[in-house]
Amino acid sequence: NAGVTQTPKFQVLKTGQSMTLQCAQDMNHNSMYWYRQDPGMGLRLIYYSASEGTTDKGEVPNGYNVSRLNKREFSLRLESAAPSQTSVYFCASSEQGSRGTQYFGPGTRLLVL
Amino acid sequence: GENVEQHPSTLSVQEGDSAVIKCTYSDSASNYFPWYKQELGKGPQLIIDIRSNVGEKKDQRIAVTLNKTAKHFSLHITETQPEDSAVYFCAAPNRDDKIIFGKGTRLHILP
């Protein structure tokens, strides 16, 4: 099992450009999450999907959209990137939602110039 | 709103000594308290968790204690080793079923 995979590993964007971060899990988990990690801020939830076909906003959803394409895949889209979105983005999945282990991907480092 | 506070933000201990990281939470409905370890350049990984029906859980050199009355839970690492150097996060779910992470503790094990 690969666990949780994310692509790309690194990305540099110019302000205003768009991009999609991809995430896939092979553990048959219902719940999937997108977090951003900034220095001194810990992990902040952007969006989550409790099950296939549902998505909900987290703590910091502004400037992002998500798609739960199927049970395996959960993508995060930046429509018009801003320097404030420079961060490390982590995808995670869980079998028991917020009351069970979250399995994290390796992260995507995004720099917006 | 719901919050998880974690202290200290940085901790340095001599190799072989113990390290303690503390968290407090605000949502009394929280009933699951995990701890994650994040090594440089990697995603966080669960190292131990505790549910609200127990007060303490131990796994080799790592233990977690929970005080539901005071809304405190702590991570204890004994006989620290160089590979324990990492960032540690506590977390707790809120009543909206969203998990809230603490801001993290950077643990340095000194030779």
Side-chain angles (χ1 to χ4, degrees):
Chain A
N1 284 355
V4 179
T5 57
Q6 292 183 236
T7 56
K9 285 186 169 52
F10 303 97
Q11 185 71 48
V12 179
L13 291 178
K14 294 181 180 178
T15 297
Q17 287 185 317
S18 62
M19 78 162 294
T20 300
L21 282 66
Q22 306 287 354
C23 173
Q25 52 93 7
D26 62 2
M27 296 172 282
N28 203 36
H29 288 166
N30 283 319
S31 302
M32 296 187 73
Y33 307 83
W34 276 105
Y35 295 92
R36 60 178 289 173
Q37 185 174 34
D38 303 293
M41 298 297 292
L43 292 156
R44 292 185 292 171
L45 183 65
I46 304 171
Y47 270 94
Y48 70 105
S49 171
S51 61
E52 187 179 353
T54 68
T55 60
D56 284 289
K57 294 179 180 179
E59 182 184 355
V60 288
N62 291 346
Y64 305 95
N65 284 302
V66 290
S67 295
R68 184 74 183 267
L69 304 170
N70 47 56
K71 193 170 186 179
R72 289 188 65 247
E73 298 172 289
F74 188 38
S75 63
L76 179 71
R77 183 159 179 84
L78 286 70
E79 289 291 350
S80 178
S84 60
Q85 294 179 303
T86 292
S87 189
V88 182
Y89 291 85
F90 288 100
C91 177
S93 71
S94 172
E95 187 176 24
Q96 295 174 273
S98 66
R99 286 163 172 76
T101 304
Q102 300 221 342
Y103 295 86
F104 286 82
T108 294
R109 295 180 183 277
L110 176 65
L111 174 62
V112 183
L113 301 174
Chain B
E2 294 88 357
N3 198 26
V4 174
E5 295 198 1
Q6 183 172 345
H7 299 280
S9 56
T10 306
L11 179 61
S12 297
V13 301
Q14 291 293 140
E15 183 177 346
D17 287 351
S18 296
V20 181
I21 303 170
K22 298 182 179 181
C23 286
T24 61
Y25 61 98
S26 58
D27 192 335
S28 58
S30 296
N31 59 2
Y32 172 67
F33 306 92
W35 285 92
Y36 289 84
K37 176 183 181 181
Q38 185 179 26
E39 296 177 342
L40 194 63
K42 297 184 179 180
Q45 187 170 14
L46 182 81
I47 54 171
I48 195 167
D49 56 13
I50 192 168
R51 298 190 184 270
S52 58
N53 56 343
V54 297
E56 183 173 358
K57 184 176 178 181
K58 193 172 182 180
D59 182 3
Q60 299 182 350
R61 297 185 297 108
I62 295 172
V64 57
T65 58
L66 172 64
N67 182 332
K68 281 222 77 177
T69 303
K71 296 182 187 173
H72 290 170
F73 59 113
S74 300
L75 177 71
H76 305 253
I77 306 175
T78 58
E79 300 172 24
T80 52
Q81 300 171 3
E83 55 265 34
D84 295 330
S85 291
V87 179
Y88 292 82
F89 293 96
C90 63
N94 66 10
R95 61 187 68 240
D96 295 329
D97 208 30
K98 296 177 186 176
I99 192 158
I100 309 296
F101 283 85
K103 288 185 166 48
T105 296
R106 186 173 297 278
L107 176 61
H108 299 275
I109 306 301
L110 306 172

